[in-house]
Amino acid sequence: LSFGLLIAIGVSAFRKKDGVVMWSLALTVIPFIPASNILFPVGTELAERLLYIPSMGYCLFVGHVMGRCKNFPIKKLAFAIVVTAMTWKCIIRCQDWKNETSLFTSALDICPTSLKVLNNYGQLFIKSDPAHAIPYLEKATSIHEKYTIAQFNIGIAHKVAGNFLAAKKSFDKVLERRPSDGQTIFILAECMFLHAKELFQSDVEASRRYMIEANSLLDILVDSRNLQALQLRCEIVSNVAEYSKVAE
């Protein structure tokens, strides 16, 4: 509807050779096209920072329309209505920027299917409430299954919640897309290690197998002199030796 209205105004301005309207439309539309997701995905939310130059065209158009109004009282009333409406909208929008939670909650209301909004909103609750975060992250991956950032965050949320096998499934999916991602490999190995420690009292042999699997994941990282990986490997080797004695 908005694009149709802009086209209609543009056609009318062209026929009437109204240069100001044509310039205002050009200033509104052309700078917005690269950020519109029409030509290519831009990878960010549509927000105020993308509308600074287009808003100049909008202001030019409104000012031009008011300038052509010959009835001065109506012109004053229209100006007052526009300024009041925009001021009120600005005040309301400023409340959204109070903190990240209010910002992404507002963005979620406006763009409920935006991958980045869903991911950022879910990420807010990974540490404090992973059970609340996971459905939003999963919605992002259901919309676009190759969105590995959200898939990675699902794994982190499961890890924080102590669901290490569920975390493993998520990290395995990430590694299908990014097989050499060091951060994912390390956290996956850490999940296997923590799950193995959980199993120690109930199933020593299974616990030992998970320890060995975690150790094998660290080969690439240890070769690259990753200090965290070296520390985790030392801890794993120590536990594997202990578990082997218990199994005997």
Side-chain angles (χ1 to χ4, degrees):
L1 182 61
S2 299
F3 282 113
L5 180 61
L6 288 173
I7 292 171
I9 293 173
V11 171
S12 175
F14 180 77
R15 287 178 176 176
K16 296 178 180 179
K17 297 183 179 181
D18 191 330
V20 177
V21 173
M22 291 169 62
W23 269 109
S24 65
L25 287 177
L27 199 58
T28 301
V29 175
I30 295 174
F32 176 69
I33 289 175
S36 65
N37 280 312
I38 294 174
L39 301 179
F40 48 80
V42 296
T44 188
E45 305 93 359
L46 181 62
E48 291 89 342
R49 64 186 178 279
L50 305 177
L51 299 174
Y52 291 138
I53 296 178
S55 67
M56 294 168 60
Y58 170 78
C59 291
L60 179 62
F61 175 75
V62 172
H64 178 64
V65 171
M66 288 186 176
R68 294 178 63 179
C69 180
K70 297 179 181 179
N71 191 316
F72 188 70
I74 293 179
K75 185 186 296 188
K76 289 176 63 177
L77 178 61
F79 180 77
I81 291 173
V82 170
V83 171
T84 302
M86 293 301 167
T87 302
W88 179 247
K89 182 63 177 176
C90 182
I91 292 171
I92 294 174
R93 179 58 176 162
C94 284
Q95 298 302 311
D96 295 336
W97 286 87
K98 184 178 180 181
N99 51 52
E100 284 190 330
T101 302
S102 61
L103 177 61
F104 288 115
T105 299
S106 170
L108 192 63
D109 291 337
I110 298 169
C111 306
T113 58
S114 166
L115 299 179
K116 195 164 186 179
V117 169
L118 288 165
N119 179 67
N120 288 343
Y121 181 82
Q123 201 168 6
L124 291 174
F125 299 95
I126 284 178
K127 292 183 178 180
S128 61
D129 190 357
H132 180 68
I134 289 171
Y136 294 96
L137 298 169
E138 288 180 339
K139 183 177 180 181
T141 57
S142 69
I143 294 171
H144 185 36
E145 62 179 12
K146 295 182 181 180
Y147 192 45
T148 53
I149 297 173
Q151 192 67 63
F152 176 83
N153 283 328
I154 291 171
I156 295 294
H158 281 303
K159 179 177 179 285
V160 171
N163 302 321
F164 300 118
L165 289 181
K168 180 182 184 302
K169 290 180 181 179
S170 292
F171 292 133
D172 284 341
K173 290 179 181 179
V174 174
L175 291 175
E176 287 176 5
R177 304 286 179 189
R178 303 184 308 196
S180 60
D181 186 81
Q183 185 182 20
T184 304
I185 292 170
F186 175 78
I187 298 176
L188 176 56
E190 196 175 33
C191 286
M192 292 298 91
F193 172 67
L194 294 171
H195 182 60
K197 292 184 74 172
E198 281 186 340
L199 287 175
F200 178 64
Q201 298 298 329
S202 59
D203 191 340
V204 174
E205 184 56 33
S207 177
R208 181 172 172 275
R209 286 199 305 269
Y210 278 114
M211 284 283 183
I212 293 172
E213 183 180 350
N215 190 44
S216 65
L217 283 168
L218 295 172
D219 288 341
I220 298 174
L221 302 182
V222 171
D223 289 343
S224 65
R225 302 296 187 272
N226 185 300
L227 181 58
Q228 284 184 310
L230 285 169
Q231 291 174 336
L232 182 58
R233 167 159 280 184
C234 289
E235 198 169 351
I236 289 172
V237 170
S238 174
N239 279 272
V240 168
E242 180 184 346
Y243 293 1
S244 297
K245 289 179 181 178
V246 173
E248 292 174 359

PDB file of all heavy atoms in Angstrom, residues 131-166:
ATOM      1  N   ALA A 131      15.343 -21.528  29.467  1.00  0.00           N
ATOM      2  CA  ALA A 131      14.103 -22.156  28.994  1.00  0.00           C
ATOM      3  C   ALA A 131      13.241 -21.148  28.237  1.00  0.00           C
ATOM      4  O   ALA A 131      12.509 -21.519  27.307  1.00  0.00           O
ATOM      5  CB  ALA A 131      13.328 -22.740  30.164  1.00  0.00           C
ATOM      6  N   HIS A 132      13.305 -19.889  28.631  1.00  0.00           N
ATOM      7  CA  HIS A 132      12.563 -18.835  27.927  1.00  0.00           C
ATOM      8  C   HIS A 132      13.249 -18.468  26.618  1.00  0.00           C
ATOM      9  O   HIS A 132      12.577 -18.110  25.637  1.00  0.00           O
ATOM     10  CB  HIS A 132      12.463 -17.600  28.829  1.00  0.00           C
ATOM     11  CG  HIS A 132      11.719 -16.455  28.212  1.00  0.00           C
ATOM     12  ND1 HIS A 132      10.371 -16.482  27.950  1.00  0.00           N
ATOM     13  CD2 HIS A 132      12.153 -15.237  27.774  1.00  0.00           C
ATOM     14  CE1 HIS A 132       9.985 -15.346  27.401  1.00  0.00           C
ATOM     15  NE2 HIS A 132      11.056 -14.569  27.274  1.00  0.00           N
ATOM     16  N   ALA A 133      14.570 -18.558  26.581  1.00  0.00           N
ATOM     17  CA  ALA A 133      15.323 -18.152  25.394  1.00  0.00           C
ATOM     18  C   ALA A 133      15.193 -19.153  24.253  1.00  0.00           C
ATOM     19  O   ALA A 133      15.104 -18.759  23.075  1.00  0.00           O
ATOM     20  CB  ALA A 133      16.800 -17.976  25.763  1.00  0.00           C
ATOM     21  N   ILE A 134      15.175 -20.440  24.583  1.00  0.00           N
ATOM     22  CA  ILE A 134      15.263 -21.485  23.561  1.00  0.00           C
ATOM     23  C   ILE A 134      14.147 -21.419  22.510  1.00  0.00           C
ATOM     24  O   ILE A 134      14.428 -21.531  21.307  1.00  0.00           O
ATOM     25  CB  ILE A 134      15.323 -22.879  24.224  1.00  0.00           C
ATOM     26  CG1 ILE A 134      16.687 -23.057  24.907  1.00  0.00           C
ATOM     27  CG2 ILE A 134      15.084 -23.996  23.212  1.00  0.00           C
ATOM     28  CD1 ILE A 134      16.792 -24.291  25.776  1.00  0.00           C
ATOM     29  N   PRO A 135      12.868 -21.235  22.883  1.00  0.00           N
ATOM     30  CA  PRO A 135      11.818 -21.202  21.843  1.00  0.00           C
ATOM     31  C   PRO A 135      12.030 -20.108  20.795  1.00  0.00           C
ATOM     32  O   PRO A 135      11.736 -20.322  19.607  1.00  0.00           O
ATOM     33  CB  PRO A 135      10.533 -20.960  22.640  1.00  0.00           C
ATOM     34  CG  PRO A 135      10.835 -21.478  24.007  1.00  0.00           C
ATOM     35  CD  PRO A 135      12.281 -21.173  24.236  1.00  0.00           C
ATOM     36  N   TYR A 136      12.539 -18.947  21.202  1.00  0.00           N
ATOM     37  CA  TYR A 136      12.764 -17.855  20.243  1.00  0.00           C
ATOM     38  C   TYR A 136      13.942 -18.181  19.322  1.00  0.00           C
ATOM     39  O   TYR A 136      13.902 -17.893  18.119  1.00  0.00           O
ATOM     40  CB  TYR A 136      13.011 -16.546  21.001  1.00  0.00           C
ATOM     41  CG  TYR A 136      11.799 -16.085  21.754  1.00  0.00           C
ATOM     42  CD1 TYR A 136      11.636 -16.393  23.109  1.00  0.00           C
ATOM     43  CD2 TYR A 136      10.791 -15.368  21.117  1.00  0.00           C
ATOM     44  CE1 TYR A 136      10.505 -15.996  23.803  1.00  0.00           C
ATOM     45  CE2 TYR A 136       9.661 -14.955  21.798  1.00  0.00           C
ATOM     46  CZ  TYR A 136       9.527 -15.284  23.147  1.00  0.00           C
ATOM     47  OH  TYR A 136       8.392 -14.892  23.839  1.00  0.00           O
ATOM     48  N   LEU A 137      14.975 -18.790  19.880  1.00  0.00           N
ATOM     49  CA  LEU A 137      16.119 -19.187  19.064  1.00  0.00           C
ATOM     50  C   LEU A 137      15.726 -20.299  18.090  1.00  0.00           C
ATOM     51  O   LEU A 137      16.144 -20.304  16.927  1.00  0.00           O
ATOM     52  CB  LEU A 137      17.259 -19.658  19.974  1.00  0.00           C
ATOM     53  CG  LEU A 137      17.809 -18.588  20.939  1.00  0.00           C
ATOM     54  CD1 LEU A 137      18.735 -19.214  21.965  1.00  0.00           C
ATOM     55  CD2 LEU A 137      18.533 -17.489  20.165  1.00  0.00           C
ATOM     56  N   GLU A 138      14.909 -21.232  18.569  1.00  0.00           N
ATOM     57  CA  GLU A 138      14.452 -22.318  17.698  1.00  0.00           C
ATOM     58  C   GLU A 138      13.538 -21.795  16.591  1.00  0.00           C
ATOM     59  O   GLU A 138      13.552 -22.325  15.469  1.00  0.00           O
ATOM     60  CB  GLU A 138      13.727 -23.382  18.528  1.00  0.00           C
ATOM     61  CG  GLU A 138      14.670 -24.210  19.393  1.00  0.00           C
ATOM     62  CD  GLU A 138      13.949 -25.253  20.214  1.00  0.00           C
ATOM     63  OE1 GLU A 138      12.713 -25.080  20.424  1.00  0.00           O
ATOM     64  OE2 GLU A 138      14.592 -26.218  20.657  1.00  0.00           O
ATOM     65  N   LYS A 139      12.765 -20.756  16.894  1.00  0.00           N
ATOM     66  CA  LYS A 139      11.918 -20.159  15.859  1.00  0.00           C
ATOM     67  C   LYS A 139      12.783 -19.560  14.753  1.00  0.00           C
ATOM     68  O   LYS A 139      12.459 -19.673  13.560  1.00  0.00           O
ATOM     69  CB  LYS A 139      11.013 -19.081  16.464  1.00  0.00           C
ATOM     70  CG  LYS A 139      10.047 -18.479  15.452  1.00  0.00           C
ATOM     71  CD  LYS A 139       9.106 -17.472  16.100  1.00  0.00           C
ATOM     72  CE  LYS A 139       8.153 -16.874  15.073  1.00  0.00           C
ATOM     73  NZ  LYS A 139       7.230 -15.875  15.670  1.00  0.00           N
ATOM     74  N   ALA A 140      13.902 -18.943  15.144  1.00  0.00           N
ATOM     75  CA  ALA A 140      14.812 -18.372  14.152  1.00  0.00           C
ATOM     76  C   ALA A 140      15.374 -19.461  13.242  1.00  0.00           C
ATOM     77  O   ALA A 140      15.440 -19.300  12.020  1.00  0.00           O
ATOM     78  CB  ALA A 140      15.944 -17.619  14.839  1.00  0.00           C
ATOM     79  N   THR A 141      15.779 -20.604  13.822  1.00  0.00           N
ATOM     80  CA  THR A 141      16.341 -21.681  13.009  1.00  0.00           C
ATOM     81  C   THR A 141      15.263 -22.385  12.179  1.00  0.00           C
ATOM     82  O   THR A 141      15.568 -22.958  11.136  1.00  0.00           O
ATOM     83  CB  THR A 141      17.066 -22.717  13.886  1.00  0.00           C
ATOM     84  OG1 THR A 141      16.166 -23.246  14.872  1.00  0.00           O
ATOM     85  CG2 THR A 141      18.254 -22.080  14.596  1.00  0.00           C
ATOM     86  N   SER A 142      14.017 -22.344  12.646  1.00  0.00           N
ATOM     87  CA  SER A 142      12.938 -22.950  11.846  1.00  0.00           C
ATOM     88  C   SER A 142      12.625 -22.098  10.620  1.00  0.00           C
ATOM     89  O   SER A 142      12.212 -22.620   9.576  1.00  0.00           O
ATOM     90  CB  SER A 142      11.675 -23.128  12.700  1.00  0.00           C
ATOM     91  OG  SER A 142      11.083 -21.872  13.020  1.00  0.00           O
ATOM     92  N   ILE A 143      12.831 -20.789  10.733  1.00  0.00           N
ATOM     93  CA  ILE A 143      12.618 -19.895   9.592  1.00  0.00           C
ATOM     94  C   ILE A 143      13.763 -20.045   8.588  1.00  0.00           C
ATOM     95  O   ILE A 143      13.553 -20.078   7.375  1.00  0.00           O
ATOM     96  CB  ILE A 143      12.508 -18.434  10.065  1.00  0.00           C
ATOM     97  CG1 ILE A 143      11.242 -18.256  10.927  1.00  0.00           C
ATOM     98  CG2 ILE A 143      12.470 -17.467   8.877  1.00  0.00           C
ATOM     99  CD1 ILE A 143      11.156 -16.911  11.615  1.00  0.00           C
ATOM    100  N   HIS A 144      14.971 -20.154   9.123  1.00  0.00           N
ATOM    101  CA  HIS A 144      16.151 -20.289   8.249  1.00  0.00           C
ATOM    102  C   HIS A 144      17.113 -21.274   8.915  1.00  0.00           C
ATOM    103  O   HIS A 144      17.837 -20.917   9.841  1.00  0.00           O
ATOM    104  CB  HIS A 144      16.817 -18.931   8.068  1.00  0.00           C
ATOM    105  CG  HIS A 144      17.965 -18.934   7.108  1.00  0.00           C
ATOM    106  ND1 HIS A 144      18.000 -19.710   5.977  1.00  0.00           N
ATOM    107  CD2 HIS A 144      19.136 -18.236   7.109  1.00  0.00           C
ATOM    108  CE1 HIS A 144      19.125 -19.491   5.324  1.00  0.00           C
ATOM    109  NE2 HIS A 144      19.842 -18.610   6.004  1.00  0.00           N
ATOM    110  N   GLU A 145      17.104 -22.517   8.459  1.00  0.00           N
ATOM    111  CA  GLU A 145      17.853 -23.585   9.122  1.00  0.00           C
ATOM    112  C   GLU A 145      19.365 -23.392   9.054  1.00  0.00           C
ATOM    113  O   GLU A 145      20.106 -24.002   9.829  1.00  0.00           O
ATOM    114  CB  GLU A 145      17.485 -24.942   8.524  1.00  0.00           C
ATOM    115  CG  GLU A 145      17.818 -25.084   7.049  1.00  0.00           C
ATOM    116  CD  GLU A 145      17.453 -26.447   6.497  1.00  0.00           C
ATOM    117  OE1 GLU A 145      16.738 -27.201   7.196  1.00  0.00           O
ATOM    118  OE2 GLU A 145      17.881 -26.761   5.368  1.00  0.00           O
ATOM    119  N   LYS A 146      19.844 -22.553   8.141  1.00  0.00           N
ATOM    120  CA  LYS A 146      21.276 -22.305   8.031  1.00  0.00           C
ATOM    121  C   LYS A 146      21.747 -21.147   8.908  1.00  0.00           C
ATOM    122  O   LYS A 146      22.911 -20.745   8.830  1.00  0.00           O
ATOM    123  CB  LYS A 146      21.643 -22.022   6.565  1.00  0.00           C
ATOM    124  CG  LYS A 146      21.415 -23.205   5.646  1.00  0.00           C
ATOM    125  CD  LYS A 146      21.837 -22.875   4.223  1.00  0.00           C
ATOM    126  CE  LYS A 146      21.592 -24.060   3.292  1.00  0.00           C
ATOM    127  NZ  LYS A 146      22.002 -23.747   1.896  1.00  0.00           N
ATOM    128  N   TYR A 147      20.856 -20.640   9.748  1.00  0.00           N
ATOM    129  CA  TYR A 147      21.217 -19.517  10.617  1.00  0.00           C
ATOM    130  C   TYR A 147      21.986 -20.061  11.820  1.00  0.00           C
ATOM    131  O   TYR A 147      21.429 -20.303  12.887  1.00  0.00           O
ATOM    132  CB  TYR A 147      19.959 -18.767  11.041  1.00  0.00           C
ATOM    133  CG  TYR A 147      20.215 -17.434  11.707  1.00  0.00           C
ATOM    134  CD1 TYR A 147      21.143 -16.537  11.190  1.00  0.00           C
ATOM    135  CD2 TYR A 147      19.517 -17.061  12.842  1.00  0.00           C
ATOM    136  CE1 TYR A 147      21.372 -15.318  11.785  1.00  0.00           C
ATOM    137  CE2 TYR A 147      19.730 -15.835  13.446  1.00  0.00           C
ATOM    138  CZ  TYR A 147      20.659 -14.967  12.917  1.00  0.00           C
ATOM    139  OH  TYR A 147      20.885 -13.758  13.505  1.00  0.00           O
ATOM    140  N   THR A 148      23.294 -20.237  11.653  1.00  0.00           N
ATOM    141  CA  THR A 148      24.105 -20.942  12.646  1.00  0.00           C
ATOM    142  C   THR A 148      24.297 -20.151  13.938  1.00  0.00           C
ATOM    143  O   THR A 148      24.578 -20.744  14.980  1.00  0.00           O
ATOM    144  CB  THR A 148      25.483 -21.291  12.060  1.00  0.00           C
ATOM    145  OG1 THR A 148      26.087 -20.108  11.528  1.00  0.00           O
ATOM    146  CG2 THR A 148      25.351 -22.322  10.965  1.00  0.00           C
ATOM    147  N   ILE A 149      24.158 -18.830  13.883  1.00  0.00           N
ATOM    148  CA  ILE A 149      24.325 -18.036  15.106  1.00  0.00           C
ATOM    149  C   ILE A 149      23.258 -18.424  16.127  1.00  0.00           C
ATOM    150  O   ILE A 149      23.551 -18.639  17.306  1.00  0.00           O
ATOM    151  CB  ILE A 149      24.245 -16.530  14.789  1.00  0.00           C
ATOM    152  CG1 ILE A 149      25.381 -16.114  13.857  1.00  0.00           C
ATOM    153  CG2 ILE A 149      24.290 -15.709  16.065  1.00  0.00           C
ATOM    154  CD1 ILE A 149      25.292 -14.697  13.368  1.00  0.00           C
ATOM    155  N   ALA A 150      22.008 -18.525  15.666  1.00  0.00           N
ATOM    156  CA  ALA A 150      20.924 -18.923  16.568  1.00  0.00           C
ATOM    157  C   ALA A 150      21.104 -20.373  17.011  1.00  0.00           C
ATOM    158  O   ALA A 150      20.843 -20.713  18.165  1.00  0.00           O
ATOM    159  CB  ALA A 150      19.571 -18.735  15.894  1.00  0.00           C
ATOM    160  N   GLN A 151      21.561 -21.232  16.101  1.00  0.00           N
ATOM    161  CA  GLN A 151      21.782 -22.640  16.449  1.00  0.00           C
ATOM    162  C   GLN A 151      22.867 -22.761  17.518  1.00  0.00           C
ATOM    163  O   GLN A 151      22.745 -23.559  18.456  1.00  0.00           O
ATOM    164  CB  GLN A 151      22.208 -23.422  15.203  1.00  0.00           C
ATOM    165  CG  GLN A 151      22.185 -24.934  15.384  1.00  0.00           C
ATOM    166  CD  GLN A 151      20.779 -25.471  15.573  1.00  0.00           C
ATOM    167  OE1 GLN A 151      19.944 -25.360  14.703  1.00  0.00           O
ATOM    168  NE2 GLN A 151      20.513 -26.043  16.729  1.00  0.00           N
ATOM    169  N   PHE A 152      23.901 -21.966  17.396  1.00  0.00           N
ATOM    170  CA  PHE A 152      24.964 -21.936  18.403  1.00  0.00           C
ATOM    171  C   PHE A 152      24.415 -21.482  19.758  1.00  0.00           C
ATOM    172  O   PHE A 152      24.724 -22.071  20.797  1.00  0.00           O
ATOM    173  CB  PHE A 152      26.088 -21.004  17.940  1.00  0.00           C
ATOM    174  CG  PHE A 152      27.189 -20.820  18.942  1.00  0.00           C
ATOM    175  CD1 PHE A 152      28.208 -21.752  19.032  1.00  0.00           C
ATOM    176  CD2 PHE A 152      27.202 -19.726  19.784  1.00  0.00           C
ATOM    177  CE1 PHE A 152      29.239 -21.583  19.958  1.00  0.00           C
ATOM    178  CE2 PHE A 152      28.214 -19.549  20.711  1.00  0.00           C
ATOM    179  CZ  PHE A 152      29.240 -20.471  20.798  1.00  0.00           C
ATOM    180  N   ASN A 153      23.580 -20.447  19.723  1.00  0.00           N
ATOM    181  CA  ASN A 153      23.011 -19.933  20.973  1.00  0.00           C
ATOM    182  C   ASN A 153      22.044 -20.929  21.620  1.00  0.00           C
ATOM    183  O   ASN A 153      21.900 -20.954  22.848  1.00  0.00           O
ATOM    184  CB  ASN A 153      22.320 -18.594  20.730  1.00  0.00           C
ATOM    185  CG  ASN A 153      23.305 -17.461  20.589  1.00  0.00           C
ATOM    186  OD1 ASN A 153      24.372 -17.468  21.201  1.00  0.00           O
ATOM    187  ND2 ASN A 153      22.987 -16.475  19.762  1.00  0.00           N
ATOM    188  N   ILE A 154      21.366 -21.743  20.809  1.00  0.00           N
ATOM    189  CA  ILE A 154      20.522 -22.814  21.360  1.00  0.00           C
ATOM    190  C   ILE A 154      21.404 -23.770  22.162  1.00  0.00           C
ATOM    191  O   ILE A 154      21.052 -24.196  23.274  1.00  0.00           O
ATOM    192  CB  ILE A 154      19.782 -23.570  20.243  1.00  0.00           C
ATOM    193  CG1 ILE A 154      18.724 -22.679  19.600  1.00  0.00           C
ATOM    194  CG2 ILE A 154      19.113 -24.838  20.800  1.00  0.00           C
ATOM    195  CD1 ILE A 154      18.091 -23.276  18.347  1.00  0.00           C
ATOM    196  N   GLY A 155      22.553 -24.121  21.596  1.00  0.00           N
ATOM    197  CA  GLY A 155      23.486 -24.990  22.304  1.00  0.00           C
ATOM    198  C   GLY A 155      23.953 -24.378  23.613  1.00  0.00           C
ATOM    199  O   GLY A 155      24.024 -25.064  24.647  1.00  0.00           O
ATOM    200  N   ILE A 156      24.264 -23.087  23.592  1.00  0.00           N
ATOM    201  CA  ILE A 156      24.698 -22.409  24.822  1.00  0.00           C
ATOM    202  C   ILE A 156      23.591 -22.427  25.868  1.00  0.00           C
ATOM    203  O   ILE A 156      23.830 -22.665  27.055  1.00  0.00           O
ATOM    204  CB  ILE A 156      25.105 -20.947  24.515  1.00  0.00           C
ATOM    205  CG1 ILE A 156      26.334 -20.917  23.602  1.00  0.00           C
ATOM    206  CG2 ILE A 156      25.388 -20.191  25.802  1.00  0.00           C
ATOM    207  CD1 ILE A 156      27.594 -21.463  24.219  1.00  0.00           C
ATOM    208  N   ALA A 157      22.352 -22.179  25.428  1.00  0.00           N
ATOM    209  CA  ALA A 157      21.212 -22.172  26.361  1.00  0.00           C
ATOM    210  C   ALA A 157      21.031 -23.550  26.991  1.00  0.00           C
ATOM    211  O   ALA A 157      20.800 -23.664  28.211  1.00  0.00           O
ATOM    212  CB  ALA A 157      19.945 -21.745  25.638  1.00  0.00           C
ATOM    213  N   HIS A 158      21.133 -24.612  26.198  1.00  0.00           N
ATOM    214  CA  HIS A 158      21.012 -25.968  26.742  1.00  0.00           C
ATOM    215  C   HIS A 158      22.171 -26.266  27.711  1.00  0.00           C
ATOM    216  O   HIS A 158      21.978 -26.923  28.731  1.00  0.00           O
ATOM    217  CB  HIS A 158      21.006 -26.997  25.612  1.00  0.00           C
ATOM    218  CG  HIS A 158      19.686 -27.124  24.917  1.00  0.00           C
ATOM    219  ND1 HIS A 158      18.516 -27.448  25.600  1.00  0.00           N
ATOM    220  CD2 HIS A 158      19.331 -26.993  23.602  1.00  0.00           C
ATOM    221  CE1 HIS A 158      17.513 -27.509  24.742  1.00  0.00           C
ATOM    222  NE2 HIS A 158      17.976 -27.225  23.532  1.00  0.00           N
ATOM    223  N   LYS A 159      23.354 -25.771  27.379  1.00  0.00           N
ATOM    224  CA  LYS A 159      24.512 -25.978  28.265  1.00  0.00           C
ATOM    225  C   LYS A 159      24.292 -25.289  29.609  1.00  0.00           C
ATOM    226  O   LYS A 159      24.559 -25.864  30.675  1.00  0.00           O
ATOM    227  CB  LYS A 159      25.777 -25.447  27.596  1.00  0.00           C
ATOM    228  CG  LYS A 159      27.048 -25.588  28.439  1.00  0.00           C
ATOM    229  CD  LYS A 159      28.247 -25.098  27.652  1.00  0.00           C
ATOM    230  CE  LYS A 159      29.514 -25.206  28.488  1.00  0.00           C
ATOM    231  NZ  LYS A 159      29.603 -24.175  29.526  1.00  0.00           N
ATOM    232  N   VAL A 160      23.805 -24.058  29.565  1.00  0.00           N
ATOM    233  CA  VAL A 160      23.525 -23.319  30.816  1.00  0.00           C
ATOM    234  C   VAL A 160      22.465 -24.042  31.638  1.00  0.00           C
ATOM    235  O   VAL A 160      22.549 -24.104  32.871  1.00  0.00           O
ATOM    236  CB  VAL A 160      23.071 -21.878  30.489  1.00  0.00           C
ATOM    237  CG1 VAL A 160      22.571 -21.172  31.750  1.00  0.00           C
ATOM    238  CG2 VAL A 160      24.211 -21.091  29.866  1.00  0.00           C
ATOM    239  N   ALA A 161      21.477 -24.631  30.951  1.00  0.00           N
ATOM    240  CA  ALA A 161      20.403 -25.362  31.641  1.00  0.00           C
ATOM    241  C   ALA A 161      20.846 -26.747  32.118  1.00  0.00           C
ATOM    242  O   ALA A 161      20.098 -27.424  32.825  1.00  0.00           O
ATOM    243  CB  ALA A 161      19.192 -25.495  30.718  1.00  0.00           C
ATOM    244  N   GLY A 162      22.049 -27.163  31.723  1.00  0.00           N
ATOM    245  CA  GLY A 162      22.549 -28.475  32.142  1.00  0.00           C
ATOM    246  C   GLY A 162      22.097 -29.612  31.254  1.00  0.00           C
ATOM    247  O   GLY A 162      22.296 -30.786  31.598  1.00  0.00           O
ATOM    248  N   ASN A 163      21.515 -29.298  30.084  1.00  0.00           N
ATOM    249  CA  ASN A 163      21.082 -30.333  29.133  1.00  0.00           C
ATOM    250  C   ASN A 163      22.202 -30.557  28.111  1.00  0.00           C
ATOM    251  O   ASN A 163      22.142 -30.078  26.973  1.00  0.00           O
ATOM    252  CB  ASN A 163      19.790 -29.905  28.432  1.00  0.00           C
ATOM    253  CG  ASN A 163      18.671 -29.630  29.408  1.00  0.00           C
ATOM    254  OD1 ASN A 163      18.528 -30.339  30.404  1.00  0.00           O
ATOM    255  ND2 ASN A 163      17.878 -28.604  29.144  1.00  0.00           N
ATOM    256  N   PHE A 164      23.222 -31.277  28.517  1.00  0.00           N
ATOM    257  CA  PHE A 164      24.439 -31.352  27.719  1.00  0.00           C
ATOM    258  C   PHE A 164      24.262 -32.133  26.414  1.00  0.00           C
ATOM    259  O   PHE A 164      24.879 -31.797  25.407  1.00  0.00           O
ATOM    260  CB  PHE A 164      25.568 -31.959  28.564  1.00  0.00           C
ATOM    261  CG  PHE A 164      25.867 -31.158  29.798  1.00  0.00           C
ATOM    262  CD1 PHE A 164      25.702 -31.706  31.067  1.00  0.00           C
ATOM    263  CD2 PHE A 164      26.289 -29.841  29.695  1.00  0.00           C
ATOM    264  CE1 PHE A 164      25.962 -30.966  32.197  1.00  0.00           C
ATOM    265  CE2 PHE A 164      26.551 -29.085  30.831  1.00  0.00           C
ATOM    266  CZ  PHE A 164      26.385 -29.642  32.084  1.00  0.00           C
ATOM    267  N   LEU A 165      23.427 -33.169  26.412  1.00  0.00           N
ATOM    268  CA  LEU A 165      23.203 -33.917  25.174  1.00  0.00           C
ATOM    269  C   LEU A 165      22.415 -33.088  24.158  1.00  0.00           C
ATOM    270  O   LEU A 165      22.668 -33.157  22.956  1.00  0.00           O
ATOM    271  CB  LEU A 165      22.487 -35.237  25.463  1.00  0.00           C
ATOM    272  CG  LEU A 165      23.327 -36.303  26.181  1.00  0.00           C
ATOM    273  CD1 LEU A 165      22.515 -37.573  26.380  1.00  0.00           C
ATOM    274  CD2 LEU A 165      24.600 -36.608  25.406  1.00  0.00           C
ATOM    275  N   ALA A 166      21.438 -32.306  24.653  1.00  0.00           N
ATOM    276  CA  ALA A 166      20.699 -31.404  23.761  1.00  0.00           C
ATOM    277  C   ALA A 166      21.636 -30.339  23.201  1.00  0.00           C
ATOM    278  O   ALA A 166      21.541 -29.965  22.025  1.00  0.00           O
ATOM    279  CB  ALA A 166      19.543 -30.757  24.517  1.00  0.00           C
TER     280      ALA A 166
END
